[in-house]
Every structure is written in C-alpha cells, then in structure tokens.
Amino acid sequence: MIADLTNTQRECEISEKCYAASWMQGLEYALWNAVINGERAYGQDFITKKNCETLRILSEACDSWIYFDESSEETAISLSLWKKMVEIKL
C-alpha cells in the first residue's frame, strides 16, 4: 500500500498530473518505458526528459520500482525483480 512506501518511493506524481488518478492501470510499465526510451505523451500531459531522469535517479536511490499488485496495491520491489517482470510481460 502507498502508506508502506518511503517518502522517496512516493515522490512521483505523474499519474495525478496526466490522468488525475492516484494510480492509472499500467502506470508502472508506461513510466518504465519512458525511463528506458525517453519522453512521451501520456494521458492528458507529457512525461518529460526531466521526469524520466528523476524517475531513474529515484529508482536507483531506492533500488526499487513501484508496481500495483492486486492484493498489496502499490508495492516496492527490487529493480532486479522488476526488470525480470518486464521481460516476462514483453
């Protein structure tokens, strides 16, 4: 749950900015795609180059990525596990 995350892990508010939603379905994959491939349109706004860099810095500082789990909701997992999950999804 969001209450279980550290302040650094809660730093990003792109879902609110782009969709006026606390967590848009697939947000974790859209943000990861932007971090890897660069800025892009998203919802009603834009994920900027600065947003991408901030996400990269924060995720590396926490060694984690936040994804939505049906039972535990917003959940921090290690970057290495996240990268494996992305590979499986692709």
Side-chain angles (χ1 to χ4, degrees):
M1 298 186 88
I2 196 119
D4 297 329
L5 303 177
T6 67
N7 287 338
T8 304
Q9 291 170 332
R10 281 185 262 157
E11 191 78 22
C12 178
E13 296 181 0
I14 293 174
S15 187
E16 286 288 344
K17 180 180 81 158
C18 295
Y19 277 102
S22 61
W23 193 276
M24 193 64 193
Q25 184 175 4
L27 173 66
E28 60 271 65
Y29 295 98
L31 295 178
W32 185 254
N33 182 280
V35 167
I36 300 303
N37 298 307
E39 60 187 11
R40 58 179 275 184
Y42 184 66
Q44 303 162 6
D45 210 322
F46 199 78
I47 302 171
T48 66
K49 184 176 180 178
K50 183 176 180 184
N51 293 145
C52 297
E53 183 64 11
T54 299
L55 285 169
R56 185 190 62 74
I57 290 167
L58 291 172
S59 65
E60 289 176 0
C62 296
D63 187 33
S64 61
W65 194 256
I66 311 301
Y67 82 108
F68 194 86
D69 179 78
E70 290 299 322
S71 59
S72 59
E73 299 179 354
E74 294 92 345
T75 305
I77 58 172
S78 70
L79 279 176
S80 61
L81 178 56
W82 171 249
K83 290 173 183 177
K84 289 177 186 174
M85 289 174 65
V86 170
E87 284 181 26
I88 291 169
K89 185 162 177 110
L90 297 178

